Amino acid sequence: MVTLSPLAIATGLIALAVIFGVVVTLVRVRKSARLRDRFGDEYQRTVEDAGGTHRGETVLHERERRVAALDIRPLSPSRREDFILAWRQVQAQFVDDPAGAVMRADVLLTDVMNARGYPVAEFEQRYEDISVDHGEVVAHYRTGHHIAESHARGEGGTEELRRAMIHYRALFDDLVNEPEDFGPVIEHRGGRVHDLRREPVRRN
């Protein structure tokens, strides 16, 4: 029977603690990288607003879980064409009625979200839900919405409204044109959220 000295036991425990620490760090780094990849610029904004990386990532995980429980679906080809036509009409309206066109664009975006399966809610809730699958462009929604609100208070002019339309268009294109198939976007399996668009296609 081998008897370990107290020094050997202490050294072994220290080594195990170091290994455990490295594993935990690697897991956290991978989780952070995944969230950065999914949420884009929204990751940093959320972390800053939450006051730290851990709190911010917890907020983003909660968004993922909430959206995973929703029935998010792509648009049918006919609905997609209807929305594209409606957007063209909004753009044409901007020539004679910039403020009205921006208000209509905001409503149209909400209609697209509703058709995709996002619940009707206040702006902040819509923004957070959209950020899960559209992190790279969701900031355009916030900027456009803020410009529209400022104009409603009598601030800003036509050029600002034009910028709002550009911001709205970025999110509109993303919402209307993806995903391209009729499979689910994300699903909740075993307590974890899976982005199905990022998983390899299984071939029979």
Side-chain angles (χ1 to χ4, degrees), residues 27-92:
V27 170
R28 288 177 178 173
V29 168
R30 289 184 62 184
K31 287 183 177 180
S32 295
R34 183 188 67 80
L35 288 172
R36 286 194 187 94
D37 182 53
R38 180 165 204 168
F39 286 92
D41 293 340
E42 178 65 9
Y43 174 89
Q44 190 60 38
R45 192 193 74 83
T46 304
V47 166
E48 291 175 357
D49 286 351
T53 300
H54 178 70
R55 291 181 179 179
E57 291 185 351
T58 298
V59 170
L60 296 176
H61 281 305
E62 287 299 321
R63 291 188 196 180
E64 286 186 318
R65 281 192 285 270
R66 183 174 65 242
V67 172
L70 302 176
D71 180 24
I72 307 301
R73 53 194 177 274
L75 299 172
S76 67
S78 61
R79 287 289 276 163
R80 180 179 290 112
E81 290 302 317
D82 288 343
F83 281 126
I84 291 174
L85 176 60
W87 182 265
R88 289 172 180 164
Q89 292 171 345
V90 170
Q91 288 183 308

Side-chain angles (χ1 to χ4, degrees), residues 12-25:
L13 291 175
I14 292 173
L16 287 174
V18 170
I19 293 172
F20 178 77
V22 170
V23 171
V24 169
T25 299

